[in-house]
Amino acid sequence: MSLWVDKYRPKDLQKLDFHKEQAANLKRLIQQGDFPHLLMFGPSGAGKKTRIMCLLKELYGPGVERLRMEQMNFTTPSNKKLEIMTISSNYHIEVNPSDVGIYDRVVIMDLIKNVAQSQQLDSKGQKDFKIVVLTDVDQMTIDAQHALRRTMEKYIANCRLILCCNSTSRVIPAIKSRCLNIKVPAPSTDEIVSILQNTCKKEGLTVPVELAKRIAEKSNRNLRRSLLMLEACKVQQYPFTANQNITEPDWSLFIRNMAKLIIQEQSLERISKIREDLYELIVHDIPGDIIFEVLVDELTQNCDFELKLQIVEQAAIYEHRMRQGNKEIFHLEAFVVKFMCLYKKYLEDALGNSM
Amino acid sequence: MQAFLKSDIVDQGEVVTVLDQCIKGADLPNLLFYGPPGTGKTSIILAASHQLFGDMYKERILELNASDERGIQVIRDKIKSFAQLRAGGTRPDGKPCPPFKIVILDEADSMTQAAQAALRRTMEKETKTTRFCLICNYVSRIIEPLTSRCTKFRFRPLNADLIAFISDEEKLLVDDDILKELVKTSGGDMRRAITCLHSCSRLRGKDTPITKKDITEIAGVIPEKFLCEFLEICKENDYKKLKSFINKFTLEAYSGLQMLEQLNDYIIESDEFNNKQKAIIGEKLGAVTFRLQDGASESLQLLDLGCVVMTSYAA
Ligand SMILES: Nc1ncnc2c1ncn2[C@@H]1O[C@H](COP(=O)(O)OP(=O)(O)OP(=O)(O)O)[C@@H](O)[C@H]1O
Ligand SMILES: Nc1ncnc2c1ncn2[C@@H]1O[C@H](COP(=O)(O)OP(=O)(O)OP(=O)(O)O)[C@@H](O)[C@H]1O
Ligand SMILES: [Mg+2]
Ligand SMILES: [Mg+2]
């Protein structure tokens, strides 16, 4: 029994439920035979990966759906052994280079050279190139991105890249310049509503429009999260009602609760409590930038504009520092302490004024 | 050869002249090419190398780019041993060719300072038999001792004629003012402009005329209405609206960096702000741009900028 997100993932370009014009364009692109490197970007859960798989199927036929997971091994120049998971078919291979952290450059170089030099297994295959799908390209080191540049040009005859990321701001211009850039915006609320309704229909259920709409909004137009929420709702209560409770993801509640604790009390004891909570989040793989965003969201709720401004300014600085270092906890905690100082001062000033 | 360079590589005049001279038998200095992506740096040196050495390309050219290992050791060993090989003045078929080899260091701005320093000695010692061609986007990332050993060529961003020439060649259905738009959106990057044109025609089908919307869409340009909305909200001094705007903006998958670039242009021209306000906003724009390129969160950085714009309006 698989989750709805996997069960009802569209498998053909013409079956994609939104951005249909783009899907048609992509189809035309493939029919014309030549195929450039692609850079697909858009927010999480907007359907990038789904679109890429449809594209591959259009290119190579159903053979691409026979996937295998393999572990590949690489050795860095300094003889450190690296392992990375890959998902591949006879026609393509997918990796997330940032899985190996700062050694991603080694993976990129070896992998693409290997793929480009190996022959297409299926000799009567329609295409004479293989595809390498790289995910989370915006998380790759700048070094690794540079390594991609000439590689992309050199091996273009038998290897095309599909790069996938959330934000293009951190992708170096030389890479953007080498790809056809394809923007995948989040589906609109209405589009999500109709997908949720269709999913229910296929499961033999009915869902009130109001509930579907609330889910779409609550998930912040993240289709994957919407589908997961809908399925969770189903487990909780069926038949659905328009205003039934929608469970938020645990981590979101957890962070909001943390923010409340921070506002309640500014003290050393509180800081150690918060430290534990932060570790808890990090252990569960909640990305640092998400923690920052939710915290800022919650901490700016009840204060005047002047303070909001300061909080945002500081968060922007600490979040950036977090990116440069590799211990998220330091920067998260530093921000929390900074906030406590600002807030304490703000309260004291407010008291002083009223006396 | 001349025909080749002239027809295929347009513009970038001085470089072509120097390389042409070399093909006619003149000596070649060490070269340093720099300029934005897609301006023809790699293409031009590769084309010239092929012309110079023909079948002997493999023996005479060593190309190392950012995907190759280029630590100090490699510089010392690989380049040194390559440089020490002899190089005669004739090809196997008896035709003359230059009596040197060329080491092409593409994407040299990604080499470490230490590796660059190691290169210095090698470059000096092997002048008899070897020429170096360094290629980079940012000349400031190359150490001074290296730049001073090379003749520098700056590759200029493309001009409109070139694009017009290509769209004629390919018989694309596209108006002149749309081409102008294309030149503007691709910011001088020839590769990007060509890819954009090519993609439009491929995505749309060859018989459909290319519209301005296609171009801006593919180039990722943010519609002006977004900029105006952003400024309008800042003017209203409404933090909540600002937040939901930024959320909407990211969901539409527009690039934060692009937004900052366009805002910068817009604000500089705008007469809604006085110089002091422009300076304050400009400073923040700089900081935020830098952080975004470092991978900081788009929404937080845009929020930070928005708050500063708000205060400038209020002041
Ligand atoms: N066009 C579509 N029609 C219906 N459902 C879709 C469509 N596209 C995606 N989905 C559903 O949305 C879910 C998320 O899509 P996908 O994994 O492609 O997102 P993504 O953009 O790669 O997200 P992330 O950036 O988080 O990896 C899929 O599991 C699929 O069920
Ligand atoms: N001056 C030019 N004349 C004709 N075509 C050009 C010119 N400059 C760039 N191009 C086109 O752009 C493509 C890329 O050029 P090239 O690889 O030489 O760029 P580059 O300057 O090395 O860029 P990068 O810094 O990204 O490596 C070429 O294949 C060609 O199609
Ligand atoms: Mg994905
Ligand atoms: Mg180049």
Side-chain angles (χ1 to χ4, degrees):
Chain A
M1 208 191 78
S2 55
L3 290 170
W4 293 351
V5 271
D6 297 320
K7 201 163 158 193
Y8 299 113
R9 193 191 275 271
K11 297 218 162 61
D12 293 293
L13 276 179
Q14 57 271 40
K15 293 225 181 80
L16 289 176
D17 298 327
F18 54 92
H19 308 326
K20 282 175 191 265
E21 190 183 338
Q22 185 185 68
N25 284 345
L26 288 174
K27 197 169 169 143
R28 213 169 298 134
L29 178 75
I30 290 169
Q31 280 163 352
Q32 297 189 14
D34 71 333
F35 186 79
H37 299 303
L38 298 184
L39 173 63
M40 283 237 183
F41 57 98
S44 180
K48 298 180 292 298
K49 191 58 192 308
T50 310
R51 213 154 278 254
I52 291 173
M53 287 314 290
C54 293
L55 221 121
L56 290 176
K57 188 169 173 202
E58 186 76 31
L59 264 172
Y60 297 112
V64 282
E65 285 169 352
R66 275 197 296 279
L67 296 175
R68 46 180 188 268
M69 302 247 293
E70 268 164 344
Q71 181 159 309
M72 285 183 112
N73 299 303
F74 299 94
T75 323
T76 67
S78 53
N79 265 328
K80 191 177 153 59
K81 297 261 181 295
L82 302 173
E83 292 171 349
I84 194 166
M85 281 312 290
T86 64
I87 301 176
S88 58
S89 72
N90 287 347
Y91 309 95
H92 85 289
I93 179 163
E94 177 190 333
V95 275
N96 185 346
S98 50
D99 282 352
V100 290
I102 55 167
Y103 300 107
D104 49 358
R105 176 162 171 271
V106 183
V107 172
I108 297 276
M109 280 158 41
D110 289 5
L111 182 80
I112 296 183
K113 280 180 192 166
N114 283 346
V115 171
Q117 280 155 12
S118 73
Q119 281 300 308
Q120 187 75 269
L121 285 178
D122 178 7
S123 58
K124 58 183 190 318
Q126 320 70 330
K127 299 282 181 289
D128 44 12
F129 57 84
K130 272 196 172 185
I131 293 216
V132 177
V133 180
L134 300 179
T135 53
D136 286 349
V137 176
D138 47 355
Q139 309 285 331
M140 268 163 54
T141 60
I142 300 293
D143 233 22
Q145 296 189 34
H146 276 297
L148 261 185
R149 295 168 59 171
R150 270 299 280 159
T151 316
M152 285 170 85
E153 294 172 339
K154 252 184 160 157
Y155 299 111
I156 194 163
N158 23 17
C159 170
R160 303 293 150 79
L161 296 183
I162 300 183
L163 310 176
C164 184
C165 64
N166 291 130
S167 143
T168 54
S169 295
R170 197 166 172 270
V171 179
I172 61 172
I175 299 254
K176 282 186 249 183
S177 150
R178 283 165 170 77
C179 301
L180 168 56
N181 296 8
I182 295 181
K183 179 165 75 104
V184 185
S188 69
T189 307
D190 289 344
E191 284 162 340
I192 295 187
V193 168
S194 94
I195 291 172
L196 294 183
Q197 285 177 320
N198 283 337
T199 310
C200 281
K201 207 183 280 164
K202 286 180 203 147
E203 284 284 314
L205 314 167
T206 49
V207 56
V209 183
E210 297 81 5
L211 178 65
K213 204 161 171 178
R214 279 176 56 221
I215 291 179
E217 276 157 13
K218 192 126 197 177
S219 72
N220 198 18
R221 286 167 57 194
N222 179 326
L223 182 53
R224 178 186 310 111
R225 208 180 291 161
S226 291
L227 285 163
L228 290 171
M229 281 175 165
L230 180 69
E231 199 167 355
C233 282
K234 152 85 183 8
V235 174
Q236 238 171 31
Q237 176 190 340
Y238 189 81
F240 292 126
T241 56
N243 46 12
Q244 82 181 75
N245 183 41
I246 304 170
T247 19
E248 263 189 81
D250 298 342
W251 53 264
S252 164
L253 287 174
F254 191 85
I255 303 175
R256 287 182 197 283
N257 196 37
M258 228 167 76
K260 292 210 181 74
L261 292 178
I262 298 172
I263 292 179
Q264 239 168 39
E265 184 186 320
Q266 295 80 39
S267 66
L268 276 180
E269 296 82 66
R270 204 28 75 87
I271 293 174
S272 14
K273 162 79 181 98
I274 297 295
R275 177 182 300 165
E276 280 167 27
D277 286 358
L278 287 172
Y279 268 123
E280 187 71 21
L281 286 168
I282 292 173
V283 168
H284 284 91
D285 260 343
I286 306 299
D289 54 333
I290 302 269
I291 304 182
F292 261 106
E293 274 167 40
V294 182
L295 268 184
V296 169
D297 197 26
E298 203 66 19
L299 293 176
T300 49
Q301 291 287 341
N302 294 311
C303 54
D304 66 0
F305 182 70
E306 188 56 33
L307 184 60
K308 279 195 176 88
L309 193 100
Q310 289 176 348
I311 299 173
V312 169
E313 186 177 15
Q314 294 303 329
I317 292 173
Y318 283 102
E319 197 268 343
H320 171 235
R321 285 198 193 145
M322 181 180 75
R323 281 292 165 155
Q324 293 175 303
N326 52 17
K327 281 266 181 248
E328 296 191 332
I329 184 82
F330 293 163
H331 307 278
L332 284 163
E333 195 174 314
F335 169 68
V336 170
V337 174
K338 185 80 196 178
F339 171 83
M340 285 186 172
C341 293
L342 290 173
Y343 194 68
K344 216 165 176 168
K345 180 147 191 319
Y346 165 77
L347 290 181
E348 282 167 9
D349 287 353
L351 265 179
N353 286 341
S354 67
M355 277 196 305
Chain B
M1 165 62 194
Q2 226 170 354
F4 179 87
L5 277 184
K6 286 271 155 58
S7 68
D8 266 12
I9 303 209
V10 199
D11 215 11
Q12 317 302 12
E14 303 158 297
V15 194
V16 176
T17 323
V18 169
L19 290 173
D20 250 358
Q21 296 283 324
C22 176
I23 286 155
K24 290 199 197 106
D27 199 2
L28 192 70
N30 288 325
L31 304 169
L32 173 64
F33 293 172
Y34 66 101
T39 42
K41 302 180 295 299
T42 307
S43 323
I44 206 168
I45 191 68
L46 290 185
S49 306
H50 277 288
Q51 289 289 329
L52 282 169
F53 298 110
D55 296 340
M56 294 167 69
Y57 183 87
K58 279 227 156 62
E59 296 148 44
R60 292 298 182 90
I61 303 289
L62 176 64
E63 190 205 338
L64 291 174
N65 56 64
S67 73
D68 299 300
E69 206 42 60
R70 287 194 299 195
I72 305 181
Q73 213 48 46
V74 174
I75 299 285
R76 291 212 181 114
D77 301 344
K78 199 165 175 181
I79 295 189
K80 205 164 151 197
S81 55
F82 176 77
Q84 282 166 350
L85 298 173
R86 281 195 47 234
T90 46
R91 296 189 193 188
D93 58 9
K95 280 200 218 126
C97 77
F100 52 73
K101 289 155 295 180
I102 303 181
V103 176
I104 303 174
L105 287 163
D106 205 347
E107 292 138 19
D109 36 4
S110 72
M111 284 167 68
T112 61
Q113 299 253 328
Q116 291 188 31
L119 188 59
R120 206 164 116 176
R121 297 269 314 135
T122 322
M123 238 165 125
E124 216 154 59
K125 265 173 52 197
E126 312 296 345
T127 42
K128 272 219 188 71
T129 56
T130 312
R131 301 290 174 272
F132 287 81
C133 176
L134 274 61
I135 305 180
C136 64
N137 292 128
Y138 307 101
V139 72
S140 57
R141 303 224 179 115
I142 307 290
I143 60 173
E144 214 279 327
L146 280 191
T147 55
S148 63
R149 284 174 170 77
C150 299
T151 312
K152 292 191 276 275
F153 293 99
R154 174 158 173 240
F155 278 59
R156 271 160 305 171
L158 78 124
N159 60 25
D161 301 346
L162 189 47
I163 284 289
F165 170 77
I166 289 169
S167 73
D168 274 357
E169 285 283 291
E170 293 286 323
K171 304 199 174 48
L172 300 179
L173 301 171
V174 49
D175 287 343
D176 276 353
D177 54 327
I178 290 173
L179 286 180
K180 280 211 192 80
E181 183 72 22
L182 178 63
V183 171
K184 209 173 92 198
T185 59
S186 46
D189 181 339
M190 186 68 194
R191 185 196 292 114
R192 194 166 153 195
I194 294 177
T195 314
C196 184
L197 259 191
H198 201 169
S199 310
C200 283
S201 85
R202 281 188 294 202
L203 289 175
R204 291 269 163 214
K206 210 161 172 148
D207 311 318
T208 330
I210 296 170
T211 66
K212 210 163 177 164
K213 191 166 153 271
D214 295 338
I215 300 272
T216 49
E217 177 83 22
I218 287 195
V221 175
I222 298 162
E224 195 153 305
K225 73 166 206 282
F226 271 96
L227 300 192
C228 298
E229 194 181 337
F230 176 77
L231 291 174
E232 200 53 43
I233 288 171
C234 291
K235 204 174 187 171
E236 283 173 39
N237 213 347
D238 189 334
Y239 179 81
K240 219 172 174 169
K241 265 197 191 163
L242 178 65
K243 269 190 78 148
S244 70
F245 168 82
I246 289 171
N247 184 39
K248 187 177 80 182
F249 178 81
T250 5
L251 288 182
E252 286 308 314
Y254 285 116
S255 141
L257 207 56
Q258 176 75 26
M259 172 83 164
L260 298 179
E261 259 169 47
Q262 286 179 239
L263 263 180
N264 188 38
D265 293 345
Y266 188 93
I267 289 175
I268 286 179
E269 295 298 324
S270 148
D271 35 44
E272 222 183 320
F273 301 94
N274 63 31
N275 284 343
K276 189 172 167 207
Q277 288 167 320
K278 284 185 190 178
I280 293 173
I281 298 176
E283 190 180 6
K284 191 50 112 186
L285 266 172
V288 169
T289 306
F290 167 72
R291 291 188 207 140
L292 267 192
Q293 282 171 335
D294 257 359
S297 142
E298 301 223 333
S299 50
L300 273 181
Q301 299 302 331
L302 287 177
L303 200 58
D304 189 15
L305 175 72
C307 286
V308 167
V309 180
M310 271 186 187
T311 25
S312 325
Y313 266 122

